[in-house]
Amino acid sequence: MKEMRGWLMLLASLFANMTFQAGLNPPDGFWQDSSVTSPGVQQKAGEPILYDTHRWRPIFFWSNTVAFAYSMIMVMLLLSKRIFNSGNRMIIMRNFMIINSFIVAIAFAAGS
């Protein structure tokens, strides 16, 4: 049980770090200047390029946000001693981490 807790904490911390970095530095970077590139597309300096140019942008931003929230909740729960003492709860948390892995995969597939 203690080993599972350690692995879950490692994965939760890794996913939290990855999703936080992807939120700060989204794929393709940011627009450097403001202008109108084509009809209906107006770029604003400082906004993510992915947000204006890629049709999968909502999937990336939403799944990245959900994965970050899941990871932070997992870290907080794993720090709790009551969760650690219950074997069934650790199994449930492991399953939530598997779901979080798929959400992170969706975010990075949509962002690439």
Side-chain angles (χ1 to χ4, degrees):
M1 206 53 68
K2 190 174 185 177
E3 187 175 333
M4 184 188 297
R5 181 182 184 204
W7 280 107
L8 288 175
M9 183 64 84
L10 176 73
L11 286 174
S13 300
L14 177 69
F15 289 154
N17 187 16
M18 286 174 20
T19 55
F20 184 76
Q21 284 299 321
L24 287 180
N25 300 313
D28 293 336
F30 297 95
W31 292 114
Q32 297 299 315
D33 58 349
S34 297
S35 65
V36 177
T37 56
S38 63
V41 177
Q42 180 181 359
Q43 65 187 40
K44 292 182 183 177
E47 287 191 359
I49 295 172
L50 178 72
Y51 193 75
D52 293 330
T53 61
H54 202 278
R55 65 184 174 131
W56 297 102
R57 65 185 178 267
I59 295 172
F60 170 76
F61 287 110
W62 281 104
S63 57
N64 193 58
T65 302
V66 169
F68 178 72
Y70 252 59
S71 299
M72 293 307 296
I73 290 169
M74 291 291 291
V75 167
M76 294 302 169
L77 289 175
L78 287 167
L79 291 174
S80 171
K81 298 235 184 227
R82 290 189 306 174
I83 299 292
F84 176 61
N85 293 331
S86 174
N88 290 336
R89 291 182 186 158
M90 289 298 286
I91 302 277
I92 291 169
M93 291 183 68
R94 183 195 68 192
N95 292 337
F96 277 123
M97 187 57 69
I98 291 169
I99 292 168
N100 194 22
S101 300
F102 286 118
I103 295 170
V104 169
I106 290 168
F108 282 85
S112 63

